[in-house]
């Protein structure tokens, strides 16, 4: 699949088949994420992959996700940004939240590769990040802007609308 088709095909999938996603496929999407560009090539991102039913039950018990059905996803990828990487290198970019930019780029690569592998994904920010950190032992200093749920799609929703090019494209001047 070429990039143009993957971009066209990707859409948020929130319902999944009750079928395991192999570790090989999970590694494939993380490998795509790690190829993303990052400021100073710091690669200051981490992905905690949750497949264990018991962990998902804990998420459910503790109301980690506002949308309960999220816990039914075969894979929950907790996306973590590491702003400490900047302070260690005396780089002042933590002030501009560049770690979130880097993680977002890597995550975009991840979901496009997942699309190519016929996996469905959805970004989910509507969750209790502090509870996730505690349950998974993620250091407090890491920032979790979102998780990505992933699995074999069990729905095929209509593509969501997009603004026309004219509304966002400014040629030469605003
Ligand atoms: C940063 C981010 C956070 C999101 N959080 C949620 C969420 O908490 N719950 C949800 O159902 N969808 C969430 N979404 C998915 C968006 O609703 C979806 O991408 C948007 O409606 C466009 O639809 P599409 O992805 O199918 O093109 C999120 C998307 C992004 C990029």
């Amino acid at each position: 699949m070429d990039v143009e088709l993957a971009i066209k095909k990707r859409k948020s999938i929130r319902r999944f088949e009750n079928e395991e996603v192999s570790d090989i496929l999970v590694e494939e999407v993380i490998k795509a994420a790690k190829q993303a560009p990052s400021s100073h090539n710091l690669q200051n991102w981490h992905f905690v992959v949750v497949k264990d039913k018991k962990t998902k039950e804990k998420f459910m018990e503790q109301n980690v996700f506002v949308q309960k059905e999220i816990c039914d996803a075969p894979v929950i990828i907790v996306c973590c940004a590491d702003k400490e990487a900047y302070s260690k290198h005396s780089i002042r970019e933590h002030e501009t939240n560049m770690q979130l930019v880097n993680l977002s780029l890597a995550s975009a690569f991840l979901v496009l590769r997942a699309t190519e592998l016929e996996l469905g994904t959805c970004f989910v920010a509507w969750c209790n990040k502090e509870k996730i950190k505690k349950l998974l032992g993620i250091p407090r200093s890491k920032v979790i802007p979102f998780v990505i749920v992933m699995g074999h799609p069990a729905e095929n929703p209509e593509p969501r609308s997009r603004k026309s090019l004219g509304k966002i494209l400014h040629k030469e001047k605003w």
Side-chain angles (χ1 to χ4, degrees):
M1 185 183 292
D2 64 21
V3 178
E4 185 187 19
L5 185 58
I7 290 169
K8 274 194 187 141
K9 268 190 73 180
R10 188 219 56 83
K11 53 189 169 183
S12 294
I13 299 295
R14 298 175 178 83
R15 287 200 307 113
F16 302 97
E17 299 292 349
N18 188 14
E19 182 189 340
E20 215 226 327
V21 176
S22 71
D23 287 343
I24 293 171
L25 287 181
V26 171
E27 280 181 21
E28 276 303 307
V29 301
I30 304 297
K31 275 190 210 163
K34 84 184 184 67
Q35 291 309 116
S38 60
S39 55
H40 300 279
N41 197 22
L42 278 180
Q43 305 165 53
N44 47 346
W45 44 56
H46 294 266
F47 302 91
V48 183
V49 175
V50 175
K51 288 165 79 175
D52 188 355
K53 274 210 167 89
K54 286 191 191 122
T55 308
K56 290 186 214 157
E57 278 165 19
K58 283 187 194 150
F59 285 163
M60 185 72 99
E61 282 160 20
Q62 298 196 21
N63 297 313
V64 165
F65 294 101
V66 178
Q67 296 153 290
K68 303 271 174 248
E69 65 277 15
I70 293 301
C71 300
D72 296 334
V75 185
I76 300 175
I77 305 173
V78 180
C79 300
C80 309
D82 186 3
K83 71 174 174 189
E84 281 186 330
Y86 291 112
S87 45
K88 275 186 202 141
H89 289 75
S90 312
I91 301 166
R92 292 177 66 85
E93 290 190 10
H94 61 281
E95 289 163 13
T96 53
N97 288 323
M98 208 58 90
Q99 71 279 359
L100 296 179
V101 176
N102 294 343
L103 179 68
S104 302
L105 286 168
S107 302
F109 278 38
L110 186 160
V111 298
L112 288 177
R113 177 70 174 128
T115 306
E116 187 178 39
L117 295 168
E118 314 237 303
L119 293 165
T121 55
C122 185
F123 286 84
V124 177
W126 205 8
C127 57
N128 187 319
K129 284 118 186 181
E130 290 312 309
K131 283 185 184 171
I132 294 178
K133 278 190 197 173
K134 249 192 176 165
L135 281 166
L136 303 183
I138 297 169
R140 288 191 62 192
S141 59
K142 307 294 177 250
V143 180
I144 304 173
F146 47 74
V147 308
I148 297 172
V149 290
M150 187 171 81
H152 299 283
E155 63 171 354
N156 185 18
E158 283 297 306
R160 281 93 191 177
S161 67
R162 288 297 189 263
K163 291 180 182 175
S164 66
L165 201 59
K167 281 203 172 133
I168 59 161
L169 173 61
H170 309 268
K171 292 190 176 165
E172 312 294 345
K173 273 171 129 185
W174 184 270

